[in-house]
Amino acid sequence: MGIVRRQSTYSTIFTYLGFAIGALNTMILFPRFFSTEAFGLTRIMIDFSLFFSALSTMGSLNALYKFNPFYKDFLPKGKNDLPYLTLMANLIGSILFLIAAVGFEPFWEKHFGHGSPLFVTHFRLVIPFTISYTAIMVLEAYCWVIKKTIISNIVKELFYRLTTTLFIFFYIMHWISLETFFVLFSYSYVPAILVLMYVVYQNGGVTLYRTISRATKRLYKKILVFTSYHYTGMLIGVLPRTVDGLLIAGLTDKGLENLAIYSIPVYLASIMDGPYRSMLGITTTLISEAWKNKDMAKIKELYHKTSINLLIIGLLIFGVLMPNIDNLIRFNPEYSLAKAIFIVAGLAKIIDLGMGMNAQILLLSKYWRMDFYSSLLFIFINIILDYFMIRHYGVMGAAYGSAIALIFYNIIRFTYLWWLFKLQPFDRKTLYVLLIAAAAIFITWVIPYLGNLYLDAIVRSLVFTILYLPTVIYFKISEDINAMFKGMLQKILPKSR
């Protein structure tokens, strides 16, 4: 786990720097300087683009992760045509999206016209946003293949948010109009695309070899079957973050305003995903290699360690945010539903993180069809639950629907891995960290309000962190967390002498 710990640590630092900039944009700048409807428009542009960019990949990125180790073994350097085939699949997917976006424009107008008329008038701005995000995913996949996960995470997490902050600043200073801001926002991923293209080019790890190789001739049937089954694979990571917003905007009155309010607690819950996103690139590569080598001990180790590490960090973030939700409501009373939404979304996310890299282990195994069927079931349940719950319970229904679907999906994957491989990620330390976190959250929660929301937030955050982290380290819940702590001490103590 050394390479995972090292690369994940660096990636996590920059991921959370990106989250901090995103929090500045999402929780302070947009609500203060933009109307709720205009803020909601930026949210639905993101949700729409994330969902349809996943479709535009046509399942090809999972095929790249799955089969690239075999291509590397079978072919001489520079003769690997899989990256080129992946690029072509995404190009075709983007063209199909472009045709569908324009051709079905009357459908979008009918679906969103009642609750989100501002989205209808700006609909075509999602086209450059979606295509540019598809390009980001392809370039990120190339970086994963050449194990440049740190730089890809830095660029992906930081550049888009910094670009957005810059455009907001232009608008605040009245250098651009609101309409110009929306146009610039739709191209906000372009700087990140240029940087990742340079990174891939400089490292020379991905060559676009256009001649069909003997590996493709040998594996193409398996690749086509795998890709066709996993056309939904890339949706799983983005569906919980997108279907809610699309349905809220389309089914509720004042859809964009409701979406803007809903996006705040959901963004806070998404912060818990930071370690997972940082760990995903390098861990996916290692799991793929372990399956190729039939190294079940390595897979079991990765499953357990990713589970406990993600759970520890996820609970740390939840424990800092949860007692401070009341301060968010004090900051802006419009966020009165934030506490309930965050509790539901946050608890579901804790369960998801505690399951570790179960999706990647199942996806990259020979039983990957099981992942496909469970993913398809998850998508169906998520959409159906969200649709009916939003119609009956409004914005709160979106939180309930997504949480139930996410928990059910994880139970299915857990059951598959236990049934097929006798793999499960938990031990007594899982229970210990849950008890430690629950006790620390309770103590922090019952502290009386200190009268100043900023002072109160600082005190609650410090109290929980002091109660939680040292206890986790003392009881050696995770050897990776303890190794990181020991490494930090070794760097700090000599300087203090």
Side-chain angles (χ1 to χ4, degrees), residues 247-267:
L247 291 176
I248 288 172
L251 295 176
T252 65
D253 294 330
K254 298 182 179 179
L256 292 183
E257 295 180 26
N258 289 331
L259 177 56
I261 294 170
Y262 181 77
S263 67
I264 300 296
V266 169
Y267 180 81

Side-chain angles (χ1 to χ4, degrees), residues 47-94:
D47 289 343
F48 192 97
S49 299
L50 288 178
F51 183 80
F52 283 94
S53 61
L55 283 177
S56 297
T57 66
M58 301 182 70
S60 61
L61 301 184
N62 283 332
L64 181 64
Y65 305 141
K66 171 73 175 178
F67 291 99
N68 192 65
F70 296 94
Y71 273 70
K72 288 173 62 178
D73 284 351
F74 290 153
L75 300 172
K77 188 175 182 180
K79 302 294 184 179
N80 185 348
D81 59 328
L82 189 57
Y84 175 75
L85 296 175
T86 302
L87 179 62
M88 289 299 100
N90 281 268
L91 180 59
I92 293 170
S94 296

Side-chain angles (χ1 to χ4, degrees), residues 103-395:
F104 287 88
E105 199 161 356
F107 170 80
W108 312 122
E109 291 177 0
K110 181 179 178 180
H111 182 69
F112 294 103
H114 172 68
S116 307
L118 188 64
F119 177 59
V120 172
T121 60
H122 293 80
F123 172 76
R124 292 203 174 188
L125 293 180
V126 303
I127 294 175
F129 203 106
T130 301
I131 292 175
S132 61
Y133 192 76
T134 303
I136 283 287
M137 289 200 292
V138 174
L139 291 166
E140 182 185 39
Y142 288 170
C143 288
W144 287 10
V145 165
I146 61 177
K147 297 184 179 179
K148 294 294 179 180
T149 59
I150 296 176
I151 187 63
S152 69
N153 280 328
I154 292 172
V155 173
K156 184 180 178 183
E157 301 296 342
L158 283 182
F159 274 59
Y160 156 71
R161 294 180 172 94
L162 285 171
T163 303
T164 301
T165 306
L166 184 64
F167 294 157
I168 293 174
F169 176 74
F170 289 166
Y171 174 71
I172 293 172
M173 297 301 294
H174 303 291
W175 294 346
I176 60 175
S177 66
L178 182 61
E179 291 300 314
T180 303
F181 170 82
F182 289 141
V183 173
L184 291 175
F185 184 78
S186 69
Y187 290 93
S188 51
Y189 274 110
V190 171
I193 291 173
L194 297 176
V195 173
L196 286 182
M197 288 176 64
Y198 177 77
V199 169
V200 174
Y201 173 77
Q202 276 294 101
N203 286 276
V206 174
T207 55
L208 298 178
Y209 186 68
R210 290 172 289 182
T211 302
I212 300 300
S213 68
R214 54 188 175 89
T216 298
K217 292 176 182 177
R218 177 177 177 180
L219 297 171
Y220 78 93
K221 290 184 179 179
K222 291 183 178 180
I223 294 173
L224 288 176
V225 172
F226 182 90
T227 302
S228 62
Y229 267 91
H230 280 82
Y231 193 46
T232 60
M234 293 296 289
L235 296 177
I236 301 308
V238 299
L239 185 65
R241 293 179 287 154
T242 59
V243 70
D244 295 355
L246 295 175
L247 291 176
I248 288 172
L251 295 176
T252 65
D253 294 330
K254 298 182 179 179
L256 292 183
E257 295 180 26
N258 289 331
L259 177 56
I261 294 170
Y262 181 77
S263 67
I264 300 296
V266 169
Y267 180 81
L268 291 175
S270 73
I271 294 174
M272 298 166 63
D273 248 343
Y276 172 82
R277 290 158 67 173
S278 301
M279 197 179 293
L280 183 60
I282 186 61
T283 306
T284 299
T285 302
L286 294 177
I287 291 172
S288 179
E289 292 175 351
W291 275 124
K292 182 180 74 70
N293 298 326
K294 298 181 180 179
D295 189 349
M296 289 302 299
K298 185 66 175 180
I299 292 170
K300 183 177 181 180
E301 177 191 11
L302 289 167
Y303 193 17
H304 171 70
K305 289 193 172 184
T306 56
S307 168
I308 195 66
N309 291 338
L310 289 172
L311 184 61
I312 288 172
I313 303 174
L315 286 168
L316 171 63
I317 299 165
F318 182 81
V320 169
L321 294 175
M322 180 60 198
N324 281 302
I325 292 296
D326 287 328
N327 287 321
L328 173 64
I329 299 172
R330 294 184 185 104
F331 178 76
N332 191 332
E334 286 188 356
Y335 303 154
S336 57
L337 280 176
K339 181 190 291 188
I341 294 172
F342 177 75
I343 290 174
V344 173
L347 291 177
K349 181 54 62 178
I350 287 172
I351 294 172
D352 184 43
L353 293 172
M355 293 292 185
M357 296 290 177
N358 55 8
Q360 285 67 41
I361 294 174
L362 189 58
L363 168 68
L364 297 170
S365 74
K366 65 180 180 179
Y367 296 103
W368 49 265
R369 287 181 180 83
M370 296 288 195
D371 181 74
F372 167 77
Y373 293 129
S374 63
S375 299
L376 197 63
L377 182 62
F378 168 66
I379 292 172
F380 177 77
I381 291 174
N382 200 164
I383 293 174
I384 296 298
L385 281 175
D386 272 9
Y387 179 82
F388 286 104
M389 287 196 170
I390 289 172
R391 290 182 68 90
H392 286 85
Y393 302 106
V395 175

